[in-house]
Structures are given as structure tokens and as C-alpha cells.
Amino acid sequence: MDARDPAGLHTALCMLRDYGFVCLEGVPATMEATEQASRRVSFLRETLYGPGMWRTEVRAGGGNDTAYTGIPLPVHNDGCYWADPPGIQSFHCLQGAPAGGGTSILVDGLAVAAALRSQDPDAFDFFASVELPYHHTDPDAEVSQRRPVIGVDRATGELASFAFNNDDRAPLRLSPPSRVPQFYKHLRTLTSLLRSPAFELRLSLQPGTYLIFDNTRVLHGRTGFKTDSGRVLAGCYIGKEDWHARLRTVARAMGKYTPSVTLQPPAPPAAPTPPVAQ
Ligand SMILES: [Fe+2]
């Protein structure tokens, strides 16, 4: 397919909807070409990380986020501290890490939620109902928000979203306080699943391959790399309503529009799961 054509763009957006991510091949490894491809999807969101497109690379002092270091990052969702987390996040490797490392890791949060529901219903109920606090503070920004890890569609009962970032959690002030030890008990189970290779997809991104994923469903992380490696990722955030609107209009142009065109399908069957840590 060619994402520059309406049919190709429709296919790419349907893959994003159905699988939670899509890789576009043949995108020139420049900020300009990456932005052009991104704007085919929709408007770029301006945030505290920059106006539209941003570069993820090692910064002196680590910048205002762990992304700007070379340390390994456990899988997480971005923007848990915002009222409206990014619907889409994207990565285009403009320059790799010649010495190795920097492998991207994706985990389908809906598959993890489905496994948690079958393996540990108490933990599932906790993470689907208790709002966890998140925050981000730097010299120019201070934002905070509370949200449950697992979102369930109230109308259908289907798993709908996933939001978790252990590194961005704020001090726990749960009510009643008895929920705090419950949290740590259930966190052990959740972390065991999120770190399980059974749920991981590892991608060694290369210049030319542009990864776009649903940040409200798919968690992302990376292996560590040397800080002097020169690794550079270009990317952006796009709002969920904006890329859904583009999917509807492209589907309409293709004669494939239905009122439910942007509804997420049920979560895929859970991958084989390892024993849960007790
Ligand atoms: Fe991130």
C-alpha cells in the first residue's frame, strides 16, 4: 500500500485501529518527511515537549524526561498526567545506535488487561476502578491527573483503554488508605504481566520505518543504549478524536464508512501467559 494515497491511508489507519500500531515503510529519514507523513494522519499536538514534531535524543542533564537519557525504559503510556493523553504517538528512527541497544518494545495493554481479568479478577477490578495519581514537574510545567489503568466501555463492557506509567506516578493518596497496600499487592501482578516476553513485540527501528501506535492502548519502552551513540528519534503526538476523524473521512471517501468505523474491536486473545508472581 501507499499511505500517500487515500486507499493506503485508509488501510494504515484501519491497521492502527485493529492492531494498535502500524509501520509505514519508505519514509525519508528527515524531520520534514516525518512531519509530512504525520500530517497525513491529522493535526499535530503542541505540548510541553514541543510544538508538533519533536526529537528524542540524549540531552545534557537528561532534559525534562527520562526519554532524553540512554537508560532502559520500562513499557509505559505517555501523558498519564494530562486530562487528555495523546491518542497517537509515533517514532521514526532518524539515526540508530551503532553500538547497539535502543530496541523499541511494544506491549498491547488490552491483551494484558484481558489476561489480568482471567488470572486475577481482584487485581483487574482494582486497576479498572481505582484512579492512580500521576504528575510531571519541570521549570516550565506542572501537571497532574488521576486515572484508572484499565478503561472499560460502559455501554459494551469491552476493554477500551490502558494507561500506566510507573515512572510518572505521584505520591499515593488513596481513599480509603487501605487501598495503598492493595495497590502494591496488585502492582506486583500487573508488572509481572507487563514485563512478560509473552506480551512483548521488540522492534529494531531503522531509518525509513515510521512506527505509529495508539497510546491509549499500546505501551512502549526501549532497551538502554550508550549516551554518545547519536541515536535520534523523530515523533509527535496526535489527538484521538483527530485521527478518528481522519479515519471517518477517509473511509467515507472510500465508500467504506459505517457509524462504527472508529470503534475499537474487542481485544485480541491474550498471549500465553507466565505464572503470576505471588
Ligand atoms: Fe514514552
Side-chain angles (χ1 to χ4, degrees), residues 36-58:
Q36 195 173 23
S38 305
R39 291 190 182 279
R40 290 282 291 146
V41 177
S42 197
F43 313 109
L44 312 189
R45 179 179 287 191
E46 182 170 357
T47 72
L48 60 88
Y49 297 108
M53 300 299 299
W54 30 251
R55 291 166 64 96
T56 299
E57 58 191 329
V58 173

Side-chain angles (χ1 to χ4, degrees), residues 54 65-67 73-74 76-79 89 91 165 168 213 215 220-221 237:
W54 30 251
D65 196 90
T66 50
L73 298 181
H76 61 277
N77 302 97
D78 274 18
Q89 184 170 2
F91 290 128
N165 190 333
D168 287 339
F213 58 93
N215 180 62
H220 64 284
Y237 293 135

Side-chain angles (χ1 to χ4, degrees), residues 15-264:
M15 292 177 74
L16 182 61
R17 176 198 61 191
D18 296 343
Y19 299 103
F21 76 101
V22 64
C23 288
L24 305 182
E25 300 287 354
V27 178
T30 66
M31 287 293 285
E32 294 75 18
T34 308
E35 178 172 352
Q36 195 173 23
S38 305
R39 291 190 182 279
R40 290 282 291 146
V41 177
S42 197
F43 313 109
L44 312 189
R45 179 179 287 191
E46 182 170 357
T47 72
L48 60 88
Y49 297 108
M53 300 299 299
W54 30 251
R55 291 166 64 96
T56 299
E57 58 191 329
V58 173
R59 296 180 183 176
N64 63 350
D65 196 90
T66 50
Y68 305 123
T69 70
I71 64 174
L73 298 181
V75 293
H76 61 277
N77 302 97
D78 274 18
C80 292
Y81 38 68
W82 285 323
D84 182 20
I88 280 179
Q89 184 170 2
S90 63
F91 290 128
H92 188 188
C93 180
L94 302 187
Q95 191 170 315
T103 300
S104 295
I105 306 168
L106 299 181
V107 169
D108 185 350
L110 298 189
V112 168
L116 189 65
R117 182 161 57 182
S118 66
Q119 291 186 25
D120 191 336
D122 287 345
F124 177 88
D125 290 343
F126 182 91
F127 288 119
S129 60
V130 176
E131 294 183 333
L132 301 182
Y134 295 94
H135 71 158
H136 171 94
T137 302
D138 68 34
D140 300 315
E142 182 162 343
V143 289
S144 63
Q145 195 63 227
R146 306 174 73 96
R147 56 176 19 90
V149 173
I150 298 168
V152 179
D153 187 313
R154 293 180 181 177
T156 66
E158 298 286 352
L159 299 173
S161 62
F162 198 95
F164 183 67
N165 190 333
N166 201 50
D167 289 356
D168 287 339
R169 284 197 295 106
L172 281 176
R173 295 187 180 90
L174 302 180
S175 180
S178 60
R179 282 183 168 167
V180 173
Q182 289 175 3
F183 166 77
Y184 285 107
K185 174 188 173 187
H186 297 317
L187 178 64
R188 187 180 177 88
T189 308
L190 181 68
T191 302
S192 172
L193 291 173
L194 290 175
R195 292 181 180 177
S196 166
F199 289 101
E200 284 186 352
L201 175 64
R202 293 192 173 223
L203 298 170
S204 181
L205 296 178
Q206 301 297 322
T209 300
Y210 189 24
L211 168 66
I212 302 174
F213 58 93
D214 181 347
N215 180 62
T216 68
R217 168 179 175 176
V218 174
L219 302 96
H220 64 284
R222 71 167 187 227
T223 60
F225 57 92
K226 291 188 175 180
T227 55
D228 60 355
S229 68
R231 180 180 185 265
V232 179
L233 298 183
C236 66
Y237 293 135
I238 292 175
K240 189 160 192 167
E241 66 273 28
D242 293 327
W243 82 264
H244 277 191
R246 180 58 51 88
L247 174 53
R248 289 190 199 101
T249 55
V250 172
R252 193 168 60 202
M254 299 292 298
K256 296 181 177 178
Y257 178 83
T258 65
S260 61
V261 68
T262 57
L263 293 180
Q264 286 185 335

